[in-house]
Amino acid sequence: MASRPREHGPSRRNPEQALAELRERAAGQTRALASGEDWARWLRIAARFPGWSFTNVMLIVGQWPAATLVAGYDQWQARGRQVRKGEPGIQVIAEPGQPPGAVGQQRAGRAGRGTLRQEAGKPWVAYVWDVSQTTGPPVHDPAEPFPDHSAMLPGLWDALTWLARREGFAVERAVSGDGDGETSWSGHRIRVNAGLDGLAAARALLHELGHVLAHGGAVHVPGESTAGCRGVRKVEADSVTFIVAARLGMDTSLYTWPFVASWAGSDPRARPEETVRAAGSRITQAAAVIISHLDAALFGTSAGDTPAVRAEEPEPGRDVGLGGKQAGAPTEEEIRRALAETERFYRRRLHGSWAPGYLAGRGLGAAAGERWGAGYAPGGWTALTSHLRRRGFGDAVIEAAGLARRSARGTLIDCFRDRVVFAVRDERGRIAGFIGRARPDAGAGAPKYLNSPQTPLYRKGDLLFGLHEGRGLLERGAMPVIVEGPFDAIAVTEAGAGRYVGLAPCGTALSGRQVEALAEVTDLDRVGVLVALDGDRAGREGIVRAYQVLLTHTGRLSAAILPGGRDPAEILQTDGADSLAEALGRTDPLAQVVIDAHLDEWGRRLEHAEGQLAAMRSAATLIARTLPIGTVETIQRITCGRSLSALDDEQRPVVNAELPEIAGQLPAGAICQIVRVADRTGCDYSEVTVEVATAATRESLLPEALTARDPMSDPAHLPRATKSAATAALASTGFPCAALHPRHTSGTSALGVPGIWPPRARAWAGKDVTPVNYRR
């Protein structure tokens, strides 16, 4: 191990003299503060060393003007860095009872060569070294810890409001012509001008918090406020705002400073040096309180988490592995450990944020949030990234886990910021990624839901949110319900009382792999699948897509008819769990819903014969596209690849001897859809069947074309087409062996098969053919 470097300074035999010399050195630095630029320069230095006292900031800069990050010998060693042999230590004063943020950055209280021995209850001299005096893994320079913000930092206003409440002051926005803000001491209220935009309002609130933290302990006369503040108190409040703004990367060029003598005085009898030192002490203490609070609220750090040295964002193109060392590709084990640590981080930040109130407003209390592992991603740019670095995770691991992405500057920034967050787990219950919901007032530019990016572990097409959480219920026979978003999935499971399990496809269309994962947990042929997607255009397209994929695994498919076009989460929020459970019990066959959604797009054109015919042919093509590949191949074999026609040129029925055999091959869902199309377009059932068969024989519907158009139609993912004995019996005895539409009144059906007219197709289709009865 390298020997401990020299700690230059006075001998241990005269600690009082050593302290006196240091205080005089700090006093000389204080007397040098004369111009407004001198004061601004000191504020920028103070922003670099939050938590350090005014005196120690002066001492550090006086001994090492270029200092950016200082820590004690042991703290540097703990971070893997070594103080170079022969480097002189920077002397600072350690005060008994100092906050951990200051003492923790010094080798305080430990006797050693060249270090003055501490006497109980008294200050002592300690030594620190700047990062430039050390060697080892790179560390972060806090002089510019965050990128410049041209817009409001997410969560900043709320965090400042929480701090004001903690100090006993309510915050309100009100129109005022007397300034940007004011604090009423007797009323314990802070008023910020309602006419200010986000950043200006935050600055005004910071200014008032500077007053509260620096001057709240003073004696105030009744009715006194900070309105029109001037002199030393204005300088102090503005200085606190400047330090915090610089720390957050906000623009500080807006501030101008008078000569120090104009507010501290110039007459030696007024002791201006003492005024400056007292003001600096109040400023650094108040700024330290605000920065510590914002670190916890926005960036996920706390007093216990904050180390002496913070990990650095690497230069673009450089990956740092575990422990800050150069590393190759991260291992799966490293990524999984980073994901697990991230979930713990998010869950610990839930309380104290806006998220619990939001969850409660959505009908999800604390117990439900705990069951689903709800967490909160702080609003800072690097809250999670900094936390993971402190826990020893390198940037390569953080990026490979999908937890951060590269900014335009090449540095890492968190993927999830100021969001309610839930973990997405794989079939074995291991965390694969996260999904986050923005706050309600996030604005149109922020996506409502945000998913982890594609990673080696997070492949959206493989994962169903809610599958792991509902696994036990599914194994006991609960019905799976496909919904759009995570809150819908949670709502369905919470309201289902063991009867339903909500499943969301993680921001993508339902895929064959997701259904296969579901089929491994429950018997889909026995319990079926319920679809409850939104009623908007995207929701209708999702229903069609889900139907095409689900058909390859089961024919027991139904759709929930949700009142008012609302999603499950909205119903739970406004009407309660019982209403949602009741709505899930009102269903229609999914096949019918798919056709209705398709025909609804034809609108008023269905009022005319030409529109009805065109809509029927369009729907027939859709039905053909959802047929199993095995059925399509059989139809092509039966028709020998030729197109069929229901009517000749004179609009007379055409005998198609192949239709009974074709009908016998159609799945129950297709028969249900043919019936629905015929009823809504006024066409004959046999006409629709002919169009379906014709569409199935077109070159564009050959299996190769299907596979190219839809990756999920790969035969490896599609089971062989099967049909129930009941369906085959009905097809051969009732449909379409006799005329099935009332407009054919002759004794011969449109299929050219003599027979007796059977009951209406709706009656037998609803009772026997469709796997789920029509809702009457």
Side-chain angles (χ1 to χ4, degrees), residues 722-753:
T722 60
K723 57 181 173 37
S724 67
T727 302
L730 280 169
S732 61
T733 60
F735 174 75
C737 289
L740 298 178
H741 198 282
R743 80 180 185 184
H744 294 290
T745 57
S746 66
T748 302
S749 73
L751 302 173
V753 181

PDB file of all heavy atoms in Angstrom, residues 722-753:
ATOM      1  N   THR A 722     -57.882 -26.772 -36.267  1.00  0.00           N
ATOM      2  CA  THR A 722     -58.790 -27.804 -35.764  1.00  0.00           C
ATOM      3  C   THR A 722     -60.192 -27.242 -35.745  1.00  0.00           C
ATOM      4  O   THR A 722     -60.400 -26.045 -35.683  1.00  0.00           O
ATOM      5  CB  THR A 722     -58.406 -28.259 -34.344  1.00  0.00           C
ATOM      6  OG1 THR A 722     -58.469 -27.123 -33.477  1.00  0.00           O
ATOM      7  CG2 THR A 722     -56.998 -28.843 -34.308  1.00  0.00           C
ATOM      8  N   LYS A 723     -61.184 -28.117 -35.752  1.00  0.00           N
ATOM      9  CA  LYS A 723     -62.569 -27.688 -35.645  1.00  0.00           C
ATOM     10  C   LYS A 723     -63.321 -28.678 -34.775  1.00  0.00           C
ATOM     11  O   LYS A 723     -63.036 -29.870 -34.770  1.00  0.00           O
ATOM     12  CB  LYS A 723     -63.238 -27.573 -37.022  1.00  0.00           C
ATOM     13  CG  LYS A 723     -63.206 -28.842 -37.861  1.00  0.00           C
ATOM     14  CD  LYS A 723     -63.876 -28.581 -39.175  1.00  0.00           C
ATOM     15  CE  LYS A 723     -63.753 -29.728 -40.169  1.00  0.00           C
ATOM     16  NZ  LYS A 723     -63.811 -31.043 -39.754  1.00  0.00           N
ATOM     17  N   SER A 724     -64.275 -28.161 -34.020  1.00  0.00           N
ATOM     18  CA  SER A 724     -65.015 -29.032 -33.123  1.00  0.00           C
ATOM     19  C   SER A 724     -66.012 -29.883 -33.907  1.00  0.00           C
ATOM     20  O   SER A 724     -66.427 -29.551 -35.018  1.00  0.00           O
ATOM     21  CB  SER A 724     -65.762 -28.186 -32.089  1.00  0.00           C
ATOM     22  OG  SER A 724     -66.769 -27.432 -32.741  1.00  0.00           O
ATOM     23  N   ALA A 725     -66.405 -31.009 -33.311  1.00  0.00           N
ATOM     24  CA  ALA A 725     -67.392 -31.882 -33.953  1.00  0.00           C
ATOM     25  C   ALA A 725     -68.720 -31.161 -34.112  1.00  0.00           C
ATOM     26  O   ALA A 725     -69.431 -31.344 -35.111  1.00  0.00           O
ATOM     27  CB  ALA A 725     -67.563 -33.146 -33.121  1.00  0.00           C
ATOM     28  N   ALA A 726     -69.048 -30.297 -33.145  1.00  0.00           N
ATOM     29  CA  ALA A 726     -70.319 -29.563 -33.227  1.00  0.00           C
ATOM     30  C   ALA A 726     -70.315 -28.632 -34.427  1.00  0.00           C
ATOM     31  O   ALA A 726     -71.304 -28.530 -35.165  1.00  0.00           O
ATOM     32  CB  ALA A 726     -70.551 -28.773 -31.929  1.00  0.00           C
ATOM     33  N   THR A 727     -69.199 -27.942 -34.655  1.00  0.00           N
ATOM     34  CA  THR A 727     -69.112 -27.033 -35.801  1.00  0.00           C
ATOM     35  C   THR A 727     -69.236 -27.792 -37.111  1.00  0.00           C
ATOM     36  O   THR A 727     -69.954 -27.373 -38.032  1.00  0.00           O
ATOM     37  CB  THR A 727     -67.779 -26.277 -35.761  1.00  0.00           C
ATOM     38  OG1 THR A 727     -67.688 -25.561 -34.534  1.00  0.00           O
ATOM     39  CG2 THR A 727     -67.662 -25.312 -36.922  1.00  0.00           C
ATOM     40  N   ALA A 728     -68.542 -28.936 -37.196  1.00  0.00           N
ATOM     41  CA  ALA A 728     -68.610 -29.716 -38.432  1.00  0.00           C
ATOM     42  C   ALA A 728     -70.013 -30.218 -38.688  1.00  0.00           C
ATOM     43  O   ALA A 728     -70.501 -30.202 -39.827  1.00  0.00           O
ATOM     44  CB  ALA A 728     -67.634 -30.892 -38.341  1.00  0.00           C
ATOM     45  N   ALA A 729     -70.695 -30.643 -37.634  1.00  0.00           N
ATOM     46  CA  ALA A 729     -72.063 -31.145 -37.797  1.00  0.00           C
ATOM     47  C   ALA A 729     -72.988 -30.046 -38.277  1.00  0.00           C
ATOM     48  O   ALA A 729     -73.809 -30.246 -39.186  1.00  0.00           O
ATOM     49  CB  ALA A 729     -72.559 -31.729 -36.473  1.00  0.00           C
ATOM     50  N   LEU A 730     -72.856 -28.848 -37.690  1.00  0.00           N
ATOM     51  CA  LEU A 730     -73.721 -27.748 -38.097  1.00  0.00           C
ATOM     52  C   LEU A 730     -73.450 -27.356 -39.548  1.00  0.00           C
ATOM     53  O   LEU A 730     -74.355 -27.089 -40.317  1.00  0.00           O
ATOM     54  CB  LEU A 730     -73.495 -26.544 -37.180  1.00  0.00           C
ATOM     55  CG  LEU A 730     -74.202 -26.606 -35.828  1.00  0.00           C
ATOM     56  CD1 LEU A 730     -73.694 -25.504 -34.922  1.00  0.00           C
ATOM     57  CD2 LEU A 730     -75.703 -26.466 -36.013  1.00  0.00           C
ATOM     58  N   ALA A 731     -72.164 -27.315 -39.889  1.00  0.00           N
ATOM     59  CA  ALA A 731     -71.825 -26.914 -41.254  1.00  0.00           C
ATOM     60  C   ALA A 731     -72.377 -27.869 -42.287  1.00  0.00           C
ATOM     61  O   ALA A 731     -72.792 -27.462 -43.369  1.00  0.00           O
ATOM     62  CB  ALA A 731     -70.302 -26.809 -41.389  1.00  0.00           C
ATOM     63  N   SER A 732     -72.418 -29.164 -41.936  1.00  0.00           N
ATOM     64  CA  SER A 732     -72.866 -30.147 -42.921  1.00  0.00           C
ATOM     65  C   SER A 732     -74.379 -30.296 -42.959  1.00  0.00           C
ATOM     66  O   SER A 732     -74.941 -30.697 -43.968  1.00  0.00           O
ATOM     67  CB  SER A 732     -72.230 -31.509 -42.610  1.00  0.00           C
ATOM     68  OG  SER A 732     -72.646 -31.949 -41.321  1.00  0.00           O
ATOM     69  N   THR A 733     -75.085 -29.963 -41.867  1.00  0.00           N
ATOM     70  CA  THR A 733     -76.537 -30.180 -41.826  1.00  0.00           C
ATOM     71  C   THR A 733     -77.340 -28.900 -41.957  1.00  0.00           C
ATOM     72  O   THR A 733     -78.483 -28.923 -42.405  1.00  0.00           O
ATOM     73  CB  THR A 733     -76.928 -30.865 -40.515  1.00  0.00           C
ATOM     74  OG1 THR A 733     -76.535 -30.033 -39.409  1.00  0.00           O
ATOM     75  CG2 THR A 733     -76.246 -32.212 -40.383  1.00  0.00           C
ATOM     76  N   GLY A 734     -76.790 -27.773 -41.543  1.00  0.00           N
ATOM     77  CA  GLY A 734     -77.596 -26.559 -41.547  1.00  0.00           C
ATOM     78  C   GLY A 734     -77.044 -25.441 -42.364  1.00  0.00           C
ATOM     79  O   GLY A 734     -77.791 -24.658 -42.932  1.00  0.00           O
ATOM     80  N   PHE A 735     -75.710 -25.314 -42.443  1.00  0.00           N
ATOM     81  CA  PHE A 735     -75.128 -24.168 -43.129  1.00  0.00           C
ATOM     82  C   PHE A 735     -73.933 -24.634 -43.918  1.00  0.00           C
ATOM     83  O   PHE A 735     -73.045 -25.305 -43.369  1.00  0.00           O
ATOM     84  CB  PHE A 735     -74.679 -23.119 -42.113  1.00  0.00           C
ATOM     85  CG  PHE A 735     -73.930 -21.980 -42.745  1.00  0.00           C
ATOM     86  CD1 PHE A 735     -74.606 -21.015 -43.472  1.00  0.00           C
ATOM     87  CD2 PHE A 735     -72.557 -21.877 -42.629  1.00  0.00           C
ATOM     88  CE1 PHE A 735     -73.923 -19.969 -44.048  1.00  0.00           C
ATOM     89  CE2 PHE A 735     -71.870 -20.832 -43.211  1.00  0.00           C
ATOM     90  CZ  PHE A 735     -72.561 -19.867 -43.917  1.00  0.00           C
ATOM     91  N   PRO A 736     -73.866 -24.354 -45.183  1.00  0.00           N
ATOM     92  CA  PRO A 736     -74.877 -23.633 -45.962  1.00  0.00           C
ATOM     93  C   PRO A 736     -75.648 -24.562 -46.895  1.00  0.00           C
ATOM     94  O   PRO A 736     -75.829 -24.251 -48.064  1.00  0.00           O
ATOM     95  CB  PRO A 736     -74.020 -22.651 -46.744  1.00  0.00           C
ATOM     96  CG  PRO A 736     -72.761 -23.461 -47.030  1.00  0.00           C
ATOM     97  CD  PRO A 736     -72.585 -24.418 -45.902  1.00  0.00           C
ATOM     98  N   CYS A 737     -76.097 -25.713 -46.395  1.00  0.00           N
ATOM     99  CA  CYS A 737     -76.789 -26.665 -47.267  1.00  0.00           C
ATOM    100  C   CYS A 737     -78.207 -26.243 -47.590  1.00  0.00           C
ATOM    101  O   CYS A 737     -78.869 -26.857 -48.394  1.00  0.00           O
ATOM    102  CB  CYS A 737     -76.806 -28.051 -46.605  1.00  0.00           C
ATOM    103  SG  CYS A 737     -75.163 -28.811 -46.597  1.00  0.00           S
ATOM    104  N   ALA A 738     -78.734 -25.257 -46.941  1.00  0.00           N
ATOM    105  CA  ALA A 738     -80.063 -24.733 -47.258  1.00  0.00           C
ATOM    106  C   ALA A 738     -79.964 -23.229 -47.341  1.00  0.00           C
ATOM    107  O   ALA A 738     -79.032 -22.631 -46.824  1.00  0.00           O
ATOM    108  CB  ALA A 738     -81.073 -25.150 -46.198  1.00  0.00           C
ATOM    109  N   ALA A 739     -80.928 -22.620 -48.017  1.00  0.00           N
ATOM    110  CA  ALA A 739     -80.913 -21.167 -48.141  1.00  0.00           C
ATOM    111  C   ALA A 739     -80.954 -20.538 -46.772  1.00  0.00           C
ATOM    112  O   ALA A 739     -81.743 -20.925 -45.930  1.00  0.00           O
ATOM    113  CB  ALA A 739     -82.104 -20.705 -48.972  1.00  0.00           C
ATOM    114  N   LEU A 740     -80.102 -19.539 -46.542  1.00  0.00           N
ATOM    115  CA  LEU A 740     -79.985 -18.970 -45.207  1.00  0.00           C
ATOM    116  C   LEU A 740     -80.354 -17.497 -45.167  1.00  0.00           C
ATOM    117  O   LEU A 740     -80.103 -16.831 -44.193  1.00  0.00           O
ATOM    118  CB  LEU A 740     -78.536 -19.143 -44.698  1.00  0.00           C
ATOM    119  CG  LEU A 740     -78.071 -20.590 -44.551  1.00  0.00           C
ATOM    120  CD1 LEU A 740     -76.630 -20.634 -44.098  1.00  0.00           C
ATOM    121  CD2 LEU A 740     -78.962 -21.333 -43.568  1.00  0.00           C
ATOM    122  N   HIS A 741     -80.900 -17.006 -46.226  1.00  0.00           N
ATOM    123  CA  HIS A 741     -81.283 -15.604 -46.213  1.00  0.00           C
ATOM    124  C   HIS A 741     -82.681 -15.470 -46.773  1.00  0.00           C
ATOM    125  O   HIS A 741     -83.021 -16.083 -47.780  1.00  0.00           O
ATOM    126  CB  HIS A 741     -80.292 -14.769 -47.033  1.00  0.00           C
ATOM    127  CG  HIS A 741     -80.380 -13.316 -46.702  1.00  0.00           C
ATOM    128  ND1 HIS A 741     -81.365 -12.496 -47.170  1.00  0.00           N
ATOM    129  CD2 HIS A 741     -79.595 -12.537 -45.911  1.00  0.00           C
ATOM    130  CE1 HIS A 741     -81.197 -11.270 -46.704  1.00  0.00           C
ATOM    131  NE2 HIS A 741     -80.135 -11.269 -45.942  1.00  0.00           N
ATOM    132  N   PRO A 742     -83.543 -14.679 -46.151  1.00  0.00           N
ATOM    133  CA  PRO A 742     -84.953 -14.620 -46.567  1.00  0.00           C
ATOM    134  C   PRO A 742     -85.177 -14.096 -47.966  1.00  0.00           C
ATOM    135  O   PRO A 742     -86.236 -14.298 -48.530  1.00  0.00           O
ATOM    136  CB  PRO A 742     -85.560 -13.676 -45.512  1.00  0.00           C
ATOM    137  CG  PRO A 742     -84.414 -12.926 -44.925  1.00  0.00           C
ATOM    138  CD  PRO A 742     -83.261 -13.852 -44.979  1.00  0.00           C
ATOM    139  N   ARG A 743     -84.194 -13.446 -48.586  1.00  0.00           N
ATOM    140  CA  ARG A 743     -84.484 -12.909 -49.914  1.00  0.00           C
ATOM    141  C   ARG A 743     -84.537 -14.031 -50.952  1.00  0.00           C
ATOM    142  O   ARG A 743     -84.995 -13.829 -52.063  1.00  0.00           O
ATOM    143  CB  ARG A 743     -83.448 -11.852 -50.306  1.00  0.00           C
ATOM    144  CG  ARG A 743     -82.125 -12.370 -50.811  1.00  0.00           C
ATOM    145  CD  ARG A 743     -81.227 -11.193 -51.162  1.00  0.00           C
ATOM    146  NE  ARG A 743     -79.986 -11.641 -51.763  1.00  0.00           N
ATOM    147  CZ  ARG A 743     -78.994 -10.815 -52.098  1.00  0.00           C
ATOM    148  NH1 ARG A 743     -79.127  -9.532 -51.850  1.00  0.00           N
ATOM    149  NH2 ARG A 743     -77.899 -11.274 -52.653  1.00  0.00           N
ATOM    150  N   HIS A 744     -84.012 -15.234 -50.629  1.00  0.00           N
ATOM    151  CA  HIS A 744     -84.128 -16.377 -51.524  1.00  0.00           C
ATOM    152  C   HIS A 744     -85.402 -17.130 -51.149  1.00  0.00           C
ATOM    153  O   HIS A 744     -85.476 -17.775 -50.123  1.00  0.00           O
ATOM    154  CB  HIS A 744     -82.914 -17.303 -51.383  1.00  0.00           C
ATOM    155  CG  HIS A 744     -81.648 -16.652 -51.852  1.00  0.00           C
ATOM    156  ND1 HIS A 744     -81.390 -16.378 -53.169  1.00  0.00           N
ATOM    157  CD2 HIS A 744     -80.580 -16.212 -51.142  1.00  0.00           C
ATOM    158  CE1 HIS A 744     -80.206 -15.816 -53.278  1.00  0.00           C
ATOM    159  NE2 HIS A 744     -79.691 -15.706 -52.059  1.00  0.00           N
ATOM    160  N   THR A 745     -86.409 -17.058 -51.975  1.00  0.00           N
ATOM    161  CA  THR A 745     -87.715 -17.625 -51.637  1.00  0.00           C
ATOM    162  C   THR A 745     -88.059 -18.865 -52.427  1.00  0.00           C
ATOM    163  O   THR A 745     -89.114 -19.451 -52.246  1.00  0.00           O
ATOM    164  CB  THR A 745     -88.814 -16.574 -51.892  1.00  0.00           C
ATOM    165  OG1 THR A 745     -88.736 -16.155 -53.242  1.00  0.00           O
ATOM    166  CG2 THR A 745     -88.610 -15.380 -50.966  1.00  0.00           C
ATOM    167  N   SER A 746     -87.199 -19.254 -53.349  1.00  0.00           N
ATOM    168  CA  SER A 746     -87.502 -20.454 -54.104  1.00  0.00           C
ATOM    169  C   SER A 746     -87.182 -21.682 -53.272  1.00  0.00           C
ATOM    170  O   SER A 746     -86.579 -21.597 -52.217  1.00  0.00           O
ATOM    171  CB  SER A 746     -86.674 -20.464 -55.395  1.00  0.00           C
ATOM    172  OG  SER A 746     -85.303 -20.588 -55.082  1.00  0.00           O
ATOM    173  N   GLY A 747     -87.591 -22.828 -53.770  1.00  0.00           N
ATOM    174  CA  GLY A 747     -87.326 -24.054 -53.043  1.00  0.00           C
ATOM    175  C   GLY A 747     -85.896 -24.502 -53.156  1.00  0.00           C
ATOM    176  O   GLY A 747     -85.512 -25.497 -52.566  1.00  0.00           O
ATOM    177  N   THR A 748     -85.081 -23.757 -53.907  1.00  0.00           N
ATOM    178  CA  THR A 748     -83.670 -24.097 -54.047  1.00  0.00           C
ATOM    179  C   THR A 748     -82.843 -22.984 -53.438  1.00  0.00           C
ATOM    180  O   THR A 748     -83.067 -21.804 -53.705  1.00  0.00           O
ATOM    181  CB  THR A 748     -83.303 -24.265 -55.518  1.00  0.00           C
ATOM    182  OG1 THR A 748     -84.116 -25.268 -56.103  1.00  0.00           O
ATOM    183  CG2 THR A 748     -81.832 -24.664 -55.661  1.00  0.00           C
ATOM    184  N   SER A 749     -81.902 -23.354 -52.624  1.00  0.00           N
ATOM    185  CA  SER A 749     -81.085 -22.348 -51.962  1.00  0.00           C
ATOM    186  C   SER A 749     -80.110 -21.723 -52.943  1.00  0.00           C
ATOM    187  O   SER A 749     -79.946 -22.188 -54.070  1.00  0.00           O
ATOM    188  CB  SER A 749     -80.305 -22.989 -50.810  1.00  0.00           C
ATOM    189  OG  SER A 749     -79.264 -23.793 -51.337  1.00  0.00           O
ATOM    190  N   ALA A 750     -79.463 -20.686 -52.486  1.00  0.00           N
ATOM    191  CA  ALA A 750     -78.461 -20.020 -53.322  1.00  0.00           C
ATOM    192  C   ALA A 750     -77.304 -20.931 -53.631  1.00  0.00           C
ATOM    193  O   ALA A 750     -76.522 -20.671 -54.539  1.00  0.00           O
ATOM    194  CB  ALA A 750     -77.950 -18.759 -52.613  1.00  0.00           C
ATOM    195  N   LEU A 751     -77.162 -22.011 -52.859  1.00  0.00           N
ATOM    196  CA  LEU A 751     -76.087 -22.949 -53.122  1.00  0.00           C
ATOM    197  C   LEU A 751     -76.502 -24.014 -54.113  1.00  0.00           C
ATOM    198  O   LEU A 751     -75.731 -24.908 -54.430  1.00  0.00           O
ATOM    199  CB  LEU A 751     -75.661 -23.615 -51.794  1.00  0.00           C
ATOM    200  CG  LEU A 751     -75.204 -22.632 -50.709  1.00  0.00           C
ATOM    201  CD1 LEU A 751     -74.977 -23.381 -49.410  1.00  0.00           C
ATOM    202  CD2 LEU A 751     -73.944 -21.922 -51.137  1.00  0.00           C
ATOM    203  N   GLY A 752     -77.763 -23.953 -54.578  1.00  0.00           N
ATOM    204  CA  GLY A 752     -78.218 -24.946 -55.521  1.00  0.00           C
ATOM    205  C   GLY A 752     -78.550 -26.265 -54.863  1.00  0.00           C
ATOM    206  O   GLY A 752     -78.583 -27.297 -55.527  1.00  0.00           O
ATOM    207  N   VAL A 753     -78.793 -26.253 -53.553  1.00  0.00           N
ATOM    208  CA  VAL A 753     -79.096 -27.491 -52.831  1.00  0.00           C
ATOM    209  C   VAL A 753     -80.553 -27.449 -52.396  1.00  0.00           C
ATOM    210  O   VAL A 753     -80.951 -26.582 -51.627  1.00  0.00           O
ATOM    211  CB  VAL A 753     -78.195 -27.639 -51.595  1.00  0.00           C
ATOM    212  CG1 VAL A 753     -78.515 -28.932 -50.870  1.00  0.00           C
ATOM    213  CG2 VAL A 753     -76.735 -27.599 -52.009  1.00  0.00           C
TER     214      VAL A 753
END
